[in-house]
Amino acid sequence: CEPENLVIYSRRDVRDVICSYIEREKCTLGDFRHAGKDYIKFLEWVVKNDELINKESARNSNIKILRYENDIKGDENLPFLIDKILLYFKITSPRKNLELEQFKFLTTKNKCDMLDGLEGASQYWPNHLTDGSIGKYNTLLTKEELNSISNNKILKKWINKYYP
């Protein structure tokens, strides 16, 4: 399989997804709008797309789904992550030939910070990355905001499936 035909998708807890968006947009959860959607409708859309990718990956071995919280652990995990991806796609190139610096968090963050708009190939946006932390929703969202996400039928089902 050619590398341009491979897809690596990183699933992330939708509660952290929305935190990343409100940080990027410098807005509150109540003010959040993306493509005309409030945060609940946006997260439902994220879940719908995640389910489509999951379904497609079941029949298409060119798609590898990673879990952000387990696989994207920081720069120290890069060699293991690269090995996992190479093994999954049955790529025999040794990792030592890869320049890992290009995949490090700060390198990627600096690249994103210099963008003027969406970069199609990477799907990076300006201000796309802040600190990459996990569980940020526990401090950024109020109990009421978390409840509004957790009590939504679609989001609750997805969260219970992937983040019980």
Side-chain angles (χ1 to χ4, degrees), residues 60-73:
N60 185 341
S61 62
N62 290 351
I63 301 172
K64 173 63 176 162
I65 297 178
L66 301 173
R67 185 169 160 174
Y68 184 89
E69 296 80 3
N70 292 354
D71 296 312
I72 318 292
K73 295 180 182 175

Side-chain angles (χ1 to χ4, degrees), residues 116-161:
D116 292 324
L118 173 66
E119 182 183 77
S122 68
Q123 291 294 296
Y124 291 145
W125 289 84
N127 196 27
H128 185 93
L129 301 172
T130 51
D131 60 12
S133 64
I134 296 166
K136 194 179 288 194
Y137 62 87
N138 288 309
T139 55
L140 281 182
L141 302 180
T142 67
K143 187 173 183 170
E144 293 77 23
E145 291 169 335
L146 280 171
N147 284 339
S148 68
I149 293 169
S150 299
N151 291 332
N152 175 280
K153 183 179 171 183
I154 294 168
L155 302 177
K156 182 178 187 174
K157 181 179 175 185
W158 187 90
I159 290 168
N160 287 337
K161 181 176 181 179

Side-chain angles (χ1 to χ4, degrees), residues 12 16 39 42 44 61 65 70 91 96 98 119 128 152 158:
R12 189 171 187 201
D16 275 334
Y39 72 97
F42 171 72
E44 288 176 346
S61 62
I65 297 178
N70 292 354
I91 298 172
K96 65 182 176 185
L98 292 174
E119 182 183 77
H128 185 93
N152 175 280
W158 187 90

Side-chain angles (χ1 to χ4, degrees), residues 105-121:
F105 184 84
L106 192 55
T107 303
T108 305
K109 180 177 176 15
N110 289 339
K111 179 180 178 178
C112 292
D113 289 349
M114 293 187 317
L115 294 173
D116 292 324
L118 173 66
E119 182 183 77

